Amino acid sequence: MTLLVKGGRVVNPALQQDEICDILITDGKIVAVGKNLTAEGATVFDAAGLVVAPGFIDMHVHLRQPGQSAKETVVTGTRAAAAGGITRVATMPNTNPVIDKAIIVEGMKYKAEHEGVVKVEVIGAISKGLEGKELSAMGGMAKAGVVAFSDDGHYVESSDFMRKAMEYANMFHKIIIDHCEDESLVAGGQMNEGVVSAELGLKGRPAAAEDIAVARDIILSELTDTPIHIAHISTKGAVEMVRQAKAKGLKVSAEATPQHLILTDEALRSYEPRFKVNPPLRSEDHRAAVLAGVVDGTIDAIATDHAPHTWDEKDQEFSLTPSGFVGLETSVGAILTHLYHTGAADLATIVRAMSTSPARLLGLDAGVIAPGKDADLTILDLDKEWAVDSSQFYSKGKSSAFDEMLFRGKAAATIVNGEIVMKDGVVLR
Ligand code: DOR
């Protein structure tokens, strides 16, 4: 099957390319990129007026399988990804059972291959059962094809244990994706510690908890010469430490979420459980520092931490509701509205953070539009105006911090291996 994507503005930062041209795709691979391409019998996708980017990759997603299919599944989560313009996700191991051995990785990969509408990478746990006590079966999981290790949702408390985990991960050339919140400082905390938490009378989770965790793990990364990736960075201190680590040439990277780039703890004044997340929405000075980190390249990637929960779980009083909310169907709109249209970040920076850099960090042959590569493309309508309506999400999770917001910019189509899996918001399989 041949697909010709015609007349789009190709934004392809890996090759410093930003120009109007055509992309010819045959049997799932890009075969040519250039002006005035033609192909007899090809299906033509008219991309005039649209941006064509390498497929967006969300490196921090909870598909909730195995074991938590009331919250999300590979089918519903990858359909949500397709709807949002995401061509590939990496799914976290805080499932039931935890993804901490090869057989579970193999099961997930099989499921993803047969049921996924977009591509799915699997992240293995650092510790057995996420308990931070015994190392998971890292070697077997590496062989089975995990792209990284993470105890996401939990901080690895013991420094000695984390040192060993880094040494093992390094042996298998896998990064550690690090949830950085010192547990003793955040235990029982409901939101960011600050003026708003004091006024609301809710126990806070101080920024210092993240700063301490990030500092320790940068030190351990240097000691073990292991690449670490700071998940959902949210404090100005952490951003500055990553900046300094990079300046020293250390193997440290980071991701920021749309929520930490756009929202603050002021949103919590509504007491709405949909704003509860770990790490928490911070104050404006932290938000601005995270944004500055994306703009200057200190923060490599934008990832959602798509964390679906059932409606019953989220429909409880604030202190009882689990942390996290969905993000796959809102990340493109949120980022285009609040980073691109505000002039804070240019398109190349955004495409790099949502495609090229996650591909690099996870060791994937993706994130670039070039002959010979898989034809994974995200097609953007920069000016499409729309209102978020979580009741219409493909995801099972209906709790969204961006619900009812007005956005400018949306994915117009999602192409995976040359197949159009979403067009105009409708998932086609
Ligand atoms: O709020 C969160 N929810 N933060 C995490 O790190 C984990 C996630 C979840 O799995 O629900």
Side-chain angles (χ1 to χ4, degrees):
M1 137 127 192
T2 302
L3 178 68
L4 183 58
V5 179
K6 253 205 129 21
R9 174 181 164 196
V10 173
V11 177
N12 190 17
L15 300 178
Q16 277 98 41
Q17 183 182 24
D18 186 341
E19 60 178 337
I20 299 208
C21 58
D22 306 334
I23 300 171
L24 183 62
I25 298 163
T26 302
D27 297 332
K29 299 274 185 196
I30 296 170
V31 291
V33 183
K35 305 252 185 219
N36 303 318
L37 298 181
T38 52
E40 206 147 310
T43 304
V44 175
F45 183 100
D46 179 9
L50 303 174
V51 164
V52 182
F56 283 4
I57 300 168
D58 191 333
M59 64 184 291
H60 193 140
V61 165
H62 298 269
L63 292 181
R64 303 300 194 201
Q65 282 193 302
Q68 299 172 324
S69 53
K71 293 176 192 270
E72 194 74 291
T73 65
V74 168
V75 173
T76 57
T78 59
R79 294 187 90 213
I86 312 298
T87 59
R88 193 187 293 229
V89 300
T91 190
M92 283 291 176
N94 59 337
T95 49
N96 185 14
V98 169
I99 303 175
D100 60 5
K101 49 169 98 66
I103 183 87
I104 307 178
V105 175
E106 284 161 11
M108 276 302 287
K109 286 185 84 80
Y110 182 87
K111 228 178 158 41
E113 202 176 306
H114 289 85
E115 299 172 11
V117 174
V118 305
K119 294 175 179 174
V120 177
E121 303 299 333
V122 181
I123 298 166
I126 295 170
S127 68
K128 275 191 193 165
L130 304 176
E131 287 173 353
K133 293 186 184 127
E134 264 182 88
L135 285 178
S136 64
M138 281 184 169
M141 287 198 287
K143 239 182 170 171
V146 294
V147 286
F149 295 107
S150 181
D151 271 5
D152 183 57
H154 304 264
Y155 180 54
V156 174
E157 285 295 314
S158 157
S159 305
D160 177 56
F161 182 84
M162 189 52 141
R163 174 191 184 168
K164 292 195 176 89
M166 286 187 191
E167 282 165 349
Y168 265 82
N170 208 9
M171 264 178 9
F172 304 113
H173 303 284
K174 303 293 173 199
I175 60 169
I176 294 265
I177 301 180
D178 201 1
H179 182 120
C180 288
E181 286 187 294
D182 181 293
E183 186 55 35
S184 63
L185 282 168
V186 298
Q190 301 287 324
M191 63 174 293
N192 180 49
E193 182 179 294
V195 175
V196 182
S197 67
E199 284 180 20
L200 297 181
L202 290 172
K203 188 168 179 338
R205 300 168 83 92
E210 181 166 323
D211 296 350
I212 289 167
V214 169
R216 183 200 75 175
D217 287 346
I218 289 175
I219 292 166
L220 290 177
S221 161
E222 183 170 17
L223 175 69
T224 60
D225 196 29
T226 299
I228 61 161
H229 176 77
I230 311 300
H232 38 49
I233 198 165
S234 74
T235 69
K236 56 186 173 189
V239 174
E240 188 49 34
M241 281 185 266
V242 171
R243 189 174 284 123
Q244 285 174 19
K246 285 190 164 185
K248 268 176 83 178
L250 303 185
K251 296 170 181 168
V252 176
S253 61
E255 77 197 18
T257 69
Q259 53 267 26
H260 294 111
L261 285 163
I262 295 167
L263 303 172
T264 69
D265 56 0
E266 290 293 329
L268 279 290
R269 290 189 187 279
S270 66
Y271 282 104
E272 284 183 66
R274 69 193 175 99
F275 295 116
K276 187 172 172 183
V277 66
N278 295 333
L281 302 177
R282 304 276 184 197
S283 50
E284 174 57 24
D285 49 338
H286 292 293
R287 187 203 65 81
V290 174
L291 176 57
V294 169
V295 171
D296 75 8
T298 298
I299 296 170
D300 306 73
I302 295 173
T304 60
D305 191 9
H306 175 85
H309 296 289
T310 65
W311 187 252
D312 285 350
E313 287 168 317
K314 284 308 276 189
D315 189 26
Q316 303 185 73
E317 74 172 75
F318 196 86
S319 63
L320 299 176
T321 193
S323 299
F325 43 76
V326 295
L328 284 168
E329 289 166 82
T330 49
S331 59
V332 165
I335 295 300
L336 289 177
T337 305
H338 290 274
L339 272 65
Y340 173 70
H341 285 298
T342 55
D346 60 17
L347 266 189
T349 302
I350 290 168
V351 172
R352 203 177 292 117
M354 298 184 81
S355 177
T356 312
S357 295
R360 169 178 54 82
L361 294 166
L362 298 178
L364 304 171
D365 185 17
V368 56
I369 297 172
K373 302 293 179 190
D374 286 358
D376 299 341
L377 301 171
T378 295
I379 299 190
L380 304 170
D381 179 344
L382 295 179
D383 291 310
K384 170 99 179 160
E385 294 186 353
W386 60 291
V388 178
D389 176 358
S390 62
S391 71
Q392 299 300 310
F393 284 166
Y394 283 90
S395 171
K396 286 193 179 189
K398 306 297 180 199
S399 180
S400 164
F402 297 108
D403 205 10
E404 296 181 1
M405 278 195 179
L406 297 179
F407 284 158
R408 182 170 167 209
K410 200 172 198 273
T414 309
I415 298 179
V416 178
N417 287 336
E419 179 187 347
I420 302 169
V421 295
M422 182 280 281
K423 192 158 190 287
D424 298 329
V426 180
V427 176
L428 300 172
R429 80 173 162 105

